Amino acid sequence: MDNGTAIAAPQSVAEVEQLIQRLYKPGPASLVKNINDQLLQLQLSHDGWKLADELMASEDANVRFFAALTFTVKLNNDGPTLDDDTAHSVHTRLISWLVRLVQRGEGGLVCKKLCSTLTTYFLRSPLMWKHPLLDLALSFHHGDATVEGNTPRSADEISDILPNLNELQLRVLLWFAGALAEEVSRVPANTPAHANLHTQMENIVKDASVLMQWAFQQQSTGSASAVRAEALRTYLTWINYAQPVWPRNPEALQYLRDLINQASQCLFDRDLSSEALDIFRDILESYTTFFQAPHMEMLAAIIHNHIRPKLQHTLSEQDPDGLPLAQLVIAFGCANIQQVVEQPDSESGSWTIVELLFDILQAQGYPGDEDQLSIQTIEFWNTYIEYVNDTLFTDSDAPDPSWLYQAKDVLKQVVELLWKKVWTPPNEVAKAWGDSESEGFKEFRGDSTDLMLSIYVLLGKDMLQQLVTLALRSLEAEQWRGVEAALFCLNTLSDNVLEESSSEDVVEEIFRSSLFRDVADFSQNIPSQARRTAIDMLGSYGQYIERHAEFLPDTVRFLFASLEMAGLANAAAKSIASLCSACRVSLTTELPGFLSQYQRFLESKTCDPYTKEKVIGAIAAIIQALSPESAKAEPLRALLVNIEKDVESARQYAAEGDLEMAEVMGVTSLESLASIGKGLQVPEDVPIDIYDDNEEQAKKPSYWESAEGREAQQQIVGCFSVLQVVGTYSAAIDAACQVLRTGLTESEPGPFVLPTSVTVNFVQRCSINTPQLETVLSTAGMMITQHSRKDSKRIDEDVRSISKAVAGFCEALRQPDTDPTVAAECINVLSELMPHYVHVLFEEMSASTLAFILSAVQGPDSMPKRTACEFWTKLIKPQTAAISEDAQQRINQVMSSYGQQLVYSLLHQIRGQAQRSELDYVCEPLKALLLHQSGTQTWLQSALADERFAIPRVTMNDRAMFLRQIMGSRSDGRKTKELVKAFWAACRGTVVSYG
Amino acid sequence: MTAAQQYYELYRGSSIGEALIDTIDDLINDGRIEPQLAMKILANFDRSIADTLAEKVKSRLTFKVGQTLSCVSREILRSIQGHLETYRFCDDVWTFLVKNVKFKSDGGQEFHADKVKIVSCNSKKPGEP
């Protein structure tokens, strides 16, 4: 549809010009497309060369640009097939146009395009162009095209010509030199077809280096400065070209290295310094070896004498222009990290770098706000500590290196500077911050503490002592932001500190100080952030508090008090959860008090679903530590009463028509119940008494199987009744599944290890319209897996009921693509029945269910396809546990009935329907068939001969070959996969791999 | 402005990489692009994903494993003390096969994996110090 924008074919050059001019004017997309199509036809036509030449004479720069583009299009399409005369003629015309246009003062747009066209000529012409830069320079000098072809010339010639060229001519030459390096860098260097081009570049670099050298010598003022700027850009392009192509060609590289000194002079040039800084940083970061030792010394001297005073000035002025200066210093430091670490006394090479990086961290301002430099220094310090740690720990038997003392000293200073930099801003500053500043500051804090973790590996206890001292000194001075920063750092180190018991005496200094008494005194004017970080510390150092029970009661009381303070509640709830979980055994005597505190908390303003869930889980963890099991029942039931109240509120809200609140209360009740379940799980690190071999004890039924225990369980199950009100909400179903899962993962009976019938009933109450049905199914699958373990109780009846329900879901779905996620989970549950419930599988498995699983293999959706392939693989392979003869017979029957269809479905995937990423899964059942089913060859033969299989790209011979090869690969799974991938690629007409 | 760099192709095996390759396959299949362009797209992907993961991803994940190895850098070991089953260093690539791993995310949330394979490639290019 052209929407009235159809374009008639132009009949003259003038009409073509008009069309080009319309192309560059704003207009509807369809018009632009139609014009473009017309013009493209002209460009590709036989007369394209002539048209390009005629358009070049236009007065309009856009038309001249289009003319150059037409030359490029023609060269790209016809270049390699041109005869020598035409190629020579095109070459001469292009240079001639460029020379004439430059003489007329043509602008950058057209000149750059013509340089790019000349580069296309260089790449695509059948004639070799040996001296492109020299030829163009000569042509500029003579005022018209001078192309000497392949006659040898001296490289010095270009240096004789350059002084005669004007600034524009020099710039165009530089553009051309840059375009050559850029375009040739895209040509693969390792193929014979292109090797010649790269060999030519080894000669061209001689002229290019003379050109750049001359350009760098131009005056740094006025319009000549533009020539120097262009030289700098061309220089980087050539270095980029050289990096991958000349790693073992020092002669060619030397032409570029010889220019380092002159290029570095641009660092002093007021107009060019910013660009030069970026370019030198870029090379230092990504091509360090380009610089050799003398170059590094020269750069060190420049940093010491020139950059250092400028950077220090910008730091004192908080001038953002310091950024590129700092980045160069950092890049230089990273590139020379060995010297910086191992020769700390080298003034310009090492100490200046370290000193400047200290200066940056000492400068005023908050990271993320006005201080943009500190965040940059983290990269350097990471490199520094990584080097030190690598060197020290690679050979732990070697004596300490002589530089270690100074390195430690440097790192201690870094720790203190970082501590100072992560101080939170005063309120008046923070209030003025937007998201970007807050995020930037947060990021800096995170990066700083990550760095501290690495430094801790080296400094260990000394660093811990340093931070504790900073915290206590700030505490004494009532500098709460300093206290907060130190605690923040200490929290990050907690996992590592707690691993070493020798560090406990240092941590004790904090816990014995007035810190927690002060923060617990809410009459004191302390920033809430400091209180929050102190609360976090109690969570982070839970294991320490567990070992020092004397701190525990006060700590938890402080946390419960904080729970009722706005702004502290979330942090307090989180720490309560973590502390109660870690110190559950020591807190059992406090349980009655906590239960009443929890009741009070439920009435407070800070009580919300998050805090409620965390705290109730924390109390449940303490209940878990009670012994014997019967002692848990009463406090547990006390907690459950609160859940029941929420369930009741949900019901009431629903009855009143307030569905939103009904959902909130209902979901909260189930999530809190799941939290209790999680808290009651037996911790993984509970010691097992391997000498306790009391079989009598083992045989004794658990308390939770007694009538009393069952009563508590009934109370839990009763809470599920809230699903009658909120069962249509995803979050509620998710939370209910979470409750069931907390018990499923337990190995011993417990309050949440509910009878399997609870899960079965839950599944049976679902329909395909139930939200999160996939979660319900995966919970059922989890239960079957648990009861498939070696010593677990078999639950045939329950599994039978679940299978029936799953078969019902499959039937209701009709096709897997109705809901691929649910379909995948249904197949997965059925898969879980093998091998221990394989008899149940075949009792409940109807032909339609098998057809459903088969259609999943053939369908478009990845998830059901994957699980269906797993199902068939499990079925075909010998079962991994003993099964009845009857069950084995049923498997054989299924395979003889469905084998052919399965093979057809698999081949349908392999002939191109499957995505590349699915081939690994599709191969698995095929591998199993080849190994374990004798009829596979016949099935494959028949499927490959099927008319529906025909595709033009693959002949009958190809198919026969595939059959022979695949049958031959039956004992080599890897080979089967390779053959399948190759056949799939052949069917699709694509490559086997993109690597 | 960035100097030319070589990038690993390992992220092509990630979910997002596989999805991209599947899409590229479809485009080639429909005759909408040539395989040569596919190679370029994937080369861009290699670069972009490596740069983006390095620069933009700020979330952190720690994990604990076990069994000390004297030849592994202490920095890696900082978080390792569990069941390191196998490790190897071949062609500048460290591979650790770890069992029974507990991860801890930024928010303190913990999760468990039975088996984890850690492939650690040198971020510096061959020949760089």
Side-chain angles (χ1 to χ4, degrees):
Chain A
M1 203 157 73
D2 59 21
N3 297 326
T5 54
I7 298 296
Q11 301 300 317
S12 64
V13 175
E15 281 183 26
V16 177
E17 276 201 46
Q18 284 169 9
L19 216 50
I20 296 165
Q21 282 156 351
R22 277 175 70 188
L23 181 73
Y24 289 113
K25 282 180 188 159
S30 58
L31 176 71
V32 173
K33 186 186 174 301
N34 289 343
I35 295 174
N36 198 47
D37 289 349
Q38 275 294 345
L39 291 173
L40 188 63
Q41 271 185 33
L42 290 172
Q43 286 179 318
L44 294 171
S45 71
H46 184 70
D47 293 331
W49 295 114
K50 196 172 157 231
L51 177 69
D53 207 42
E54 285 174 332
L55 291 174
M56 224 18 147
S58 168
E59 292 299 310
D60 186 333
N62 283 337
V63 176
R64 294 196 296 278
F65 177 87
F66 189 84
L69 177 68
T70 305
F71 273 117
T72 306
V73 170
K74 290 298 287 176
L75 282 166
N76 272 324
N77 277 286
D78 307 335
T81 55
L82 291 179
D83 59 65
D84 287 5
D85 286 345
T86 314
H88 191 263
S89 157
V90 169
H91 190 190
T92 312
R93 295 297 297 156
L94 283 171
I95 294 185
S96 175
W97 274 119
L98 184 57
V99 169
R100 277 185 279 157
L101 289 172
V102 171
Q103 272 173 349
R104 294 199 322 236
E106 179 67 75
L109 180 79
V110 177
C111 286
K112 280 183 182 170
K113 189 68 196 169
L114 263 174
C115 288
S116 157
T117 309
L118 274 173
T119 306
T120 311
Y121 174 82
F122 174 80
L123 293 168
R124 307 285 292 169
S125 168
L127 299 178
M128 185 187 282
W129 189 11
K130 277 194 171 175
H131 302 285
L133 293 174
L134 180 57
D135 285 347
L136 186 59
L138 270 172
S139 302
F140 279 143
H141 182 47
H142 293 146
D144 203 356
T146 309
V147 181
E148 294 277 330
N150 295 337
T151 47
R153 300 176 186 194
S154 151
D156 291 341
E157 260 188 77
I158 196 165
S159 57
D160 298 334
I161 301 157
L162 292 173
N164 302 313
L165 303 186
N166 64 33
E167 283 160 10
L168 180 58
Q169 288 168 329
L170 283 173
R171 277 166 63 200
V172 174
L173 263 177
L174 287 162
W175 286 335
F176 181 41
L180 274 171
E182 197 169 335
E183 291 298 321
V184 182
S185 72
R186 294 184 184 137
V187 176
N190 50 2
T191 58
H194 301 113
N196 199 27
L197 283 172
H198 291 285
T199 311
Q200 272 181 271
M201 292 296 274
E202 291 170 19
N203 283 320
I204 296 169
V205 71
K206 296 171 190 167
D207 284 347
S209 68
V210 174
L211 168 65
M212 288 186 274
Q213 189 178 29
W214 175 254
F216 281 133
Q217 284 167 5
Q218 300 303 299
Q219 286 181 352
S220 58
T221 51
S223 57
S225 180
V227 176
R228 281 160 62 81
E230 207 49 58
L232 205 53
R233 287 173 212 134
T234 307
Y235 186 48
L236 180 68
T237 314
W238 271 90
I239 294 169
N240 286 346
Y241 168 78
Q243 186 180 8
V245 183
W246 294 337
R248 278 176 284 277
N249 192 342
E251 292 84 12
L253 266 183
Q254 195 55 43
Y255 286 100
L256 298 175
R257 284 185 171 135
D258 286 344
L259 297 170
I260 293 174
N261 198 12
Q262 282 179 303
S264 70
Q265 297 307 305
C266 297
L267 291 164
F268 307 105
D269 189 323
R270 205 180 57 185
D271 295 333
L272 294 183
S273 66
S274 174
E275 199 166 348
L277 284 165
D278 277 353
I279 285 174
F280 273 85
R281 173 179 60 85
D282 200 343
I283 304 169
L284 279 167
E285 282 174 354
S286 54
Y287 191 12
T288 312
T289 51
F290 180 70
F291 295 117
Q292 294 171 313
H295 306 129
M296 288 296 191
E297 279 170 30
M298 181 198 72
L299 285 173
I302 291 175
I303 290 173
H304 183 73
N305 299 323
H306 174 67
I307 291 178
R308 186 177 65 145
K310 277 174 88 174
L311 179 57
Q312 284 171 334
H313 178 73
T314 57
L315 287 171
S316 65
E317 299 287 310
Q318 289 192 285
D319 179 353
D321 286 348
L323 185 63
L325 299 166
Q327 284 174 325
L328 182 77
V329 174
I330 291 164
F332 179 85
C334 290
N336 292 280
I337 198 67
Q338 182 178 4
Q339 185 191 350
V340 176
V341 174
E342 296 190 5
Q343 295 165 33
D345 298 327
S346 154
E347 193 183 358
S348 58
S350 303
W351 183 239
T352 301
I353 305 299
V354 170
E355 186 197 19
L356 283 172
L357 288 160
F358 282 170
D359 288 345
I360 292 172
L361 286 176
Q362 275 165 338
Q364 293 292 309
Y366 289 95
D369 189 7
E370 63 270 61
D371 174 9
Q372 298 294 330
L373 301 188
S374 291
I375 187 98
Q376 309 272 338
T377 64
I378 301 283
E379 183 195 345
F380 170 80
W381 293 115
N382 271 321
T383 310
Y384 188 100
I385 185 62
E386 191 181 318
Y387 180 83
V388 174
N389 283 344
D390 277 357
T391 312
L392 279 185
F393 298 118
T394 302
D395 183 4
S396 50
D397 296 332
D400 283 347
S402 57
W403 45 262
L404 183 60
Y405 177 78
Q406 275 164 293
K408 282 186 173 179
D409 192 49
V410 165
L411 289 165
K412 275 181 199 165
Q413 292 184 62
V414 173
V415 170
E416 183 154 352
L417 289 171
L418 287 175
W419 162 73
K420 185 78 188 152
K421 259 296 168 199
V422 300
W423 281 34
T424 52
N427 270 347
E428 60 274 18
V429 175
K431 273 181 191 162
W433 279 2
D435 288 350
S436 151
E437 287 83 2
S438 303
E439 278 301 311
F441 183 67
K442 201 174 152 198
E443 186 185 329
F444 178 77
R445 287 189 123 200
D447 287 351
S448 297
T449 44
D450 273 359
L451 170 62
M452 284 195 187
L453 270 170
S454 300
I455 299 176
Y456 184 78
V457 173
L458 178 76
L459 298 182
K461 198 174 170 181
D462 288 350
M463 180 174 158
L464 179 67
Q465 184 66 66
Q466 185 185 7
L467 287 168
V468 168
T469 307
L470 289 170
L472 296 178
R473 208 186 293 156
S474 305
L475 182 65
E476 207 180 319
E478 293 189 4
Q479 277 178 337
W480 284 103
R481 292 187 299 127
V483 175
E484 192 278 337
L487 298 186
F488 179 75
C489 300
L490 286 166
N491 287 351
T492 315
L493 301 181
S494 64
D495 280 350
N496 300 49
V497 170
L498 291 168
E499 278 164 13
E500 289 163 34
S501 53
S502 64
S503 298
E504 288 203 353
D505 54 331
V506 184
V507 178
E508 194 178 339
E509 290 178 37
I510 285 277
F511 282 88
R512 292 234 176 267
S513 73
S514 65
L515 173 69
F516 292 103
R517 277 198 306 279
D518 291 338
V519 289
D521 178 0
F522 293 106
S523 64
Q524 283 200 48
N525 185 17
I526 297 172
S528 349
Q529 182 62 44
R531 280 205 166 95
R532 270 198 294 275
T533 309
I535 289 169
D536 287 343
M537 187 174 207
L538 297 173
S540 304
Y541 284 85
Q543 281 176 36
Y544 170 82
I545 301 169
E546 185 188 5
R547 290 195 288 267
H548 294 81
E550 68 271 24
F551 299 124
L552 200 49
D554 285 346
T555 303
V556 183
R557 270 192 285 274
F558 159 57
L559 287 176
F560 269 99
S562 306
L563 201 53
E564 292 176 37
M565 305 298 291
L568 300 180
N570 284 7
K574 197 174 153 198
S575 283
I576 287 172
S578 138
L579 198 61
C580 289
S581 176
C583 311
R584 56 183 75 193
V585 178
S586 316
L587 285 170
T588 48
T589 51
E590 303 286 329
L591 186 59
F594 290 163
L595 281 168
S596 23
Q597 272 180 306
Y598 181 66
Q599 293 305 326
R600 272 205 308 278
F601 161 66
L602 289 177
E603 304 301 320
S604 77
K605 283 180 185 165
T606 55
C607 173
D608 63 19
Y610 175 83
T611 47
K612 231 160 107 171
E613 186 194 324
K614 285 278 171 200
V615 178
I616 208 166
I619 296 175
I622 303 171
I623 297 174
Q624 189 279 325
L626 293 173
S627 185
E629 290 292 304
S630 55
K632 297 176 183 174
E634 198 191 317
L636 170 62
R637 298 185 73 165
L639 283 188
L640 290 173
V641 167
N642 294 304
I643 307 286
E644 286 168 338
K645 280 182 190 160
D646 285 349
V647 169
E648 195 42 45
S649 310
R651 282 177 184 285
Q652 269 179 10
Y653 280 121
E656 288 161 12
D658 188 347
L659 297 180
E660 203 175 315
M661 274 312 289
E663 184 192 355
V664 171
M665 293 313 292
V667 171
T668 303
S669 66
L670 288 168
E671 283 177 346
S672 298
L673 191 61
S675 184
I676 297 177
K678 209 171 159 204
L680 284 168
Q681 283 178 329
V682 180
E684 284 170 19
D685 55 357
V686 162
I688 298 168
D689 188 353
I690 54 171
Y691 300 107
D692 185 7
D693 198 16
N694 189 344
E695 282 188 23
E696 286 302 308
Q697 184 81 21
K699 279 178 193 167
K700 209 173 146 190
S702 153
Y703 168 78
W704 301 106
E705 288 159 343
S706 71
E708 210 178 314
R710 290 273 185 223
E711 217 171 292
Q713 287 196 333
Q714 276 309 315
Q715 210 175 339
I716 294 167
V717 175
C719 297
F720 273 65
S721 65
V722 77
L723 287 170
Q724 291 163 3
V725 180
V726 291
T728 51
Y729 297 107
S730 303
I733 298 289
D734 255 349
C737 289
Q738 204 50 48
V739 175
L740 294 173
R741 281 164 181 251
T742 55
L744 288 175
T745 48
E746 292 292 89
S747 54
E748 296 295 325
F752 276 73
V753 184
L754 303 171
T756 45
S757 58
V758 178
T759 306
V760 174
N761 289 340
F762 188 46
V763 175
Q764 284 175 328
R765 282 196 195 131
C766 293
S767 73
I768 52 163
N769 299 319
T770 304
Q772 293 300 110
L773 179 57
E774 59 272 25
T775 315
V776 178
L777 286 165
S778 104
T779 308
M782 197 172 162
M783 186 183 84
I784 295 171
T785 311
Q786 291 297 101
H787 286 275
S788 297
R789 294 207 166 138
K790 200 178 156 197
D791 298 320
S792 59
K793 185 183 157 202
R794 297 288 177 260
I795 47 165
D796 286 13
E797 267 316 305
D798 294 316
V799 170
R800 195 166 282 122
S801 306
I802 288 174
S803 303
K804 262 189 196 161
V806 169
F809 297 143
C810 293
E811 206 163 313
L813 285 172
R814 290 171 188 272
Q815 284 298 323
D817 57 6
T818 311
D819 189 335
T821 319
V822 171
E825 277 306 332
C826 284
I827 299 171
N828 197 35
V829 171
L830 296 174
S831 225
E832 291 294 341
L833 303 191
M834 290 179 275
H836 294 286
Y837 300 99
V838 76
H839 53 288
V840 179
L841 175 70
F842 288 111
E843 280 169 27
E844 300 306 326
M845 179 81 83
S846 64
S848 65
T849 311
L850 276 169
F852 181 86
I853 304 173
L854 202 57
S855 63
V857 176
Q858 211 167 341
D861 300 301
S862 263
M863 292 278 281
K865 190 181 296 182
R866 186 173 169 168
T867 49
C869 285
E870 279 167 7
F871 175 89
W872 286 106
T873 308
K874 263 180 143 179
L875 192 72
I876 300 161
K877 282 182 174 176
Q879 297 297 303
T880 51
I883 60 169
S884 69
E885 217 169 279
D886 187 42
Q888 186 57 54
Q889 237 174 5
R890 287 301 311 273
I891 293 179
N892 295 344
Q893 279 168 6
V894 168
M895 283 320 298
S896 71
S897 309
Y898 289 87
Q900 176 68 74
Q901 284 181 59
L902 174 64
V903 167
Y904 184 82
S905 299
L906 292 173
L907 278 184
H908 189 65
Q909 297 299 307
I910 294 167
R911 80 187 270 273
Q913 203 210 1
Q915 300 283 8
R916 188 187 296 269
S917 60
E918 294 166 350
L919 288 176
D920 281 349
Y921 313 124
V922 172
C923 274
E924 290 306 311
L926 183 64
K927 276 158 57 183
L929 280 165
L930 288 167
L931 263 182
H932 304 292
Q933 287 292 323
S934 54
T936 304
Q937 184 165 10
T938 321
W939 294 334
L940 280 168
Q941 207 162 13
S942 157
L944 283 165
D946 193 307
E947 266 184 27
R948 288 172 294 172
F949 194 84
I951 35 173
R953 288 192 195 97
V954 180
T955 64
M956 281 308 286
N957 279 347
D958 295 333
R959 294 189 225 171
M961 169 82 90
F962 175 67
L963 178 64
R964 269 199 308 280
Q965 288 178 328
I966 206 93
M967 288 310 298
S969 74
R970 66 174 69 190
S971 57
D972 183 351
R974 188 186 288 258
K975 182 81 188 156
T976 308
K977 248 186 212 178
E978 280 171 17
L979 288 168
V980 164
K981 283 183 180 173
F983 192 67
W984 174 88
C987 292
R988 274 238 181 169
T990 185
V991 290
V992 178
S993 111
Y994 292 107
Chain B
M1 194 68 94
T2 310
Q5 267 196 9
Q6 303 292 319
Y7 288 89
Y8 291 106
E9 293 176 3
L10 56 93
Y11 293 113
R12 293 184 189 186
S14 62
S15 306
I16 191 171
E18 283 191 344
L20 175 64
I21 290 172
D22 286 347
T23 307
I24 287 172
D25 280 332
D26 287 342
L27 290 172
I28 293 174
N29 208 33
D30 296 345
R32 291 166 70 182
I33 64 166
E34 294 293 321
Q36 288 83 345
L37 179 56
M39 304 279 190
K40 287 199 169 183
I41 294 171
L42 288 171
N44 279 342
F45 168 76
D46 295 336
R47 175 173 51 77
S48 301
I49 194 155
D51 289 348
T52 307
L53 288 176
E55 289 163 19
K56 307 276 182 205
V57 178
K58 294 293 174 193
S59 51
R60 298 160 180 84
L61 198 66
T62 54
F63 62 92
K64 287 186 181 282
V65 201
Q67 187 174 330
T68 305
L69 289 170
S70 58
C71 62
V72 182
S73 106
R74 180 78 173 271
E75 203 181 352
I76 296 170
L77 281 178
R78 172 159 60 75
S79 51
I80 296 186
Q81 334 159 331
H83 309 289
L84 180 59
E85 195 185 62
T86 312
Y87 65 93
R88 57 177 169 262
F89 181 64
C90 183
D91 292 340
D92 226 14
V93 176
W94 276 106
T95 306
F96 303 94
L97 296 172
V98 188
K99 284 199 167 171
N100 204 15
V101 193
K102 197 182 266 182
F103 291 92
K104 199 170 169 188
S105 69
D106 263 356
Q109 200 185 357
E110 287 191 359
F111 42 96
H112 174 267
D114 291 337
K115 205 160 74 175
V116 172
K117 183 176 178 181
I118 302 165
V119 179
S120 169
C121 300
N122 193 347
S123 63
K124 291 171 187 139
K125 293 173 297 302
E128 289 289 298

